[in-house]
Amino acid sequence: MVVDNLDHANAIARKYNFSLHLVTLEGEYLNPGGSISGGAFKNKSNLLGRSRELKDLKLEVEKLKSTFEEAQRRIDDIATAVELSKDDVESLREDLHELDVNLSSAKVRYDQLKSREEEKKNASEKLNEEKNAITAEIDELIALQEEGTKKAEEISAEKESLTGADSDTSEEIERLTEEVEKEKQKYQSVQIEEAKKRSAYDFAGQNIIRLTDEIKELENERITIVEQLKEHEYDRARINSEIEEAKAAIAVSSEEIGRLELISKENSEIRDKLSTDNKEFFVKSDEINTRLGNLEKELIRLSDRKKRLTDSKDAQDAYIWDEYELTLHNCETMRDEKYDSLPALKRQISAIKDDIKALGPVNVNAIEDYKELFERHEFMTTQRDDLIEAEKTLKDLIKELDEGMRTRFAAKFEEIKVEFDKAFKELFGGGKGELSLMEDEDILEAGIRVIAQPPGKKLQNMMMLSGGEKALTAIALLFAIQNLKPSPFCLLDEIEAALDDSNVDRFAKYLKKLSDKSQFIVITHRRGTMNSADCLYGITMQEKGVSALVSVSLIEADIDREERENKKKRE
């Protein structure tokens, strides 16, 4: 442990029983046990003898101090032990008092239980006597009952014997009958008395059983209390022995404390004498050590200052070289005499640094970045010009295409109008069909208005027609476009489903007419369309899960039919 001075080191060493390694800022080293050695500042005076003597006295003082501290510590330990022994004695006394109280209460309870046991025994004896008396009375009642029974039987026998006698004996019979009734009443009273005695006997027996159980319980409790009394007596004897041992230990500790106090007093006197004799040596040693310490501190301070100045100079030289690649000699040759004010020069340097800082971070690759950016700008500009030119060309092309599309659409729309009117009249068998574009709109984006006039109806919008008329009008528009530019192949899927039979026939005839220029495949369920077809194809399922294709050539059938008709005509 490092401490500031020797006094604090000694105090800490005493606190921890001289078990630590302590070093002061002045260099003194305190060994475990109290010895002192070392020190950064040596006594360089010529008083070598006094120094050795002073050192020896210090060692002696430290030994005495350690002895005194050890004695003091032993005194404290013994005092602590005495206090603990006193506490143990008080605790044992309290336990003994508590045991005495418990013993007294147990004795009182034992006496109470004993008296209760005597009372129970007396009550049991009284009940036994009553039980015996009741038993005797019951026996007497049973004897009386038997005697009354015998007497009643005798009277009954006499009554039977006298029943057939003369009328003179009637009075005797009545008398005997009355006696029999009286005997019966006595017998009943005896039975009632017997029942009462028996109930009293049963009750007495139950009381005897209950009192016997209580006597057993009291006996068990008495035995338990006797055992507890024995245990209390044993604990009391043990506590008394512990108290005697504690008193003996206190007496021994008191004698030891007295002896140690005498030793401590003698050691204190010796220490005071040595402290008085060596006070002058300590004072002179402290003065010399103080002066030497001050000189060493001043030397250290100056050495530190020199080192700081040298480090600062080296740092300045390194800074000049790192920033400007100049040595101190070169800087002296470049010195300008007009900059003679260091504060003004620092302010000027600070202002220049602020201006440089305001410019932002310096990019050492700015020239290469500028070249790359300039080349990219040129390339992007060329690309932009090419895109602008291409955009202009595309707009011109789109404009040209729009003009051509408008021209061709207008021409073809007029042709479709004509063909639509023809197809409409042929499918409807008359009427009129018109197509027109929405006004005030671009011809390429304008909507187309379909106006139809079936035969016998006025001209109206297609949306006002019936479902069949709408379908036939749409078919007419489809066939008008097909007539204008026939396609080699066309597929129609039930477009005539909403037509009636007559319109279906017109549709089939018109489709037959167009089949010279185009090939039609029609999906249909209408008979009229199938009758006009050249060939029919159907899908059938003759077996479950197996589909089969069935085809019929109507042209060959017509040819065969015509040949048969011609043959019949020839015949």
Side-chain angles (χ1 to χ4, degrees), residues 461-508:
N461 192 297
M462 179 182 173
M463 295 297 104
M464 304 299 293
L465 302 177
S466 63
E469 291 173 342
K470 289 179 182 179
L472 197 59
T473 303
I475 292 170
L477 180 59
L478 175 64
F479 286 161
I481 298 173
Q482 183 71 17
N483 291 332
L484 184 63
K485 189 176 182 179
S487 59
F489 179 81
C490 185
L491 176 64
L492 303 177
D493 186 5
E494 296 191 36
I495 63 173
E496 85 289 14
L499 303 180
D500 55 11
D501 293 336
S502 60
N503 289 329
V504 169
D505 293 336
R506 292 194 188 97
F507 163 75

Side-chain angles (χ1 to χ4, degrees), residues 126-302:
K126 289 181 181 179
L127 288 173
N128 286 325
E129 292 176 358
E130 291 179 0
K131 181 179 179 181
N132 295 328
I134 291 169
T135 303
E137 291 179 359
I138 290 171
D139 293 336
E140 292 177 359
L141 291 173
I142 291 170
L144 291 173
Q145 183 180 0
E146 291 176 355
E147 184 180 353
T149 303
K150 289 180 181 180
K151 193 173 181 180
E153 289 176 355
E154 291 175 357
I155 293 170
S156 297
E158 290 179 2
K159 182 179 178 181
E160 289 177 0
S161 63
L162 294 174
T163 302
D166 296 335
S167 59
D168 293 336
T169 63
S170 298
E171 294 178 357
E172 185 67 18
I173 290 170
E174 290 178 357
R175 184 181 63 78
L176 292 173
T177 301
E178 291 177 356
E179 289 181 1
V180 168
E181 291 296 331
K182 290 179 181 180
E183 292 297 330
K184 284 182 179 181
Q185 290 179 357
K186 288 181 181 180
Y187 177 74
Q188 290 177 356
S189 63
V190 169
Q191 285 183 339
I192 293 170
E193 189 67 23
E194 181 186 2
K196 290 181 179 179
K197 297 295 182 179
R198 284 187 180 277
S199 63
Y201 176 79
D202 295 335
F203 180 72
Q206 292 176 359
N207 286 334
I208 290 169
I209 294 170
R210 179 177 58 81
L211 292 172
T212 304
D213 294 336
E214 289 182 358
I215 289 168
K216 290 180 180 179
E217 291 177 358
L218 292 172
E219 183 65 24
N220 294 329
E221 191 172 357
R222 185 180 66 79
I223 293 169
T224 303
I225 291 171
V226 170
E227 292 177 355
Q228 290 179 355
L229 288 173
K230 291 180 181 179
E231 292 178 358
H232 289 325
E233 290 292 338
Y234 174 74
D235 291 338
R236 182 177 182 183
R238 181 177 56 80
I239 291 170
N240 287 327
S241 63
E242 289 179 357
I243 290 171
E244 294 298 330
E245 291 176 0
K247 288 180 179 179
I250 290 170
V252 173
S253 299
S254 300
E255 294 176 358
E256 184 68 18
I257 288 170
R259 187 177 65 81
L260 291 173
E261 284 179 352
L262 292 175
I263 295 172
S264 176
K265 187 175 181 181
E266 293 175 358
N267 291 331
S268 298
E269 291 176 356
I270 294 170
R271 186 188 64 178
D272 294 337
K273 184 177 180 302
L274 291 173
S275 298
T276 303
D277 293 338
N278 297 312
K279 187 174 183 182
E280 296 178 358
F281 296 103
F282 281 115
V283 172
K284 291 180 180 181
S285 178
D286 291 340
E287 290 177 356
I288 293 170
N289 289 332
T290 302
R291 289 180 63 189
L292 289 173
N294 292 333
L295 292 174
E296 290 291 337
K297 289 179 181 177
E298 184 65 20
L299 180 60
I300 292 171
R301 185 181 66 80
L302 293 174

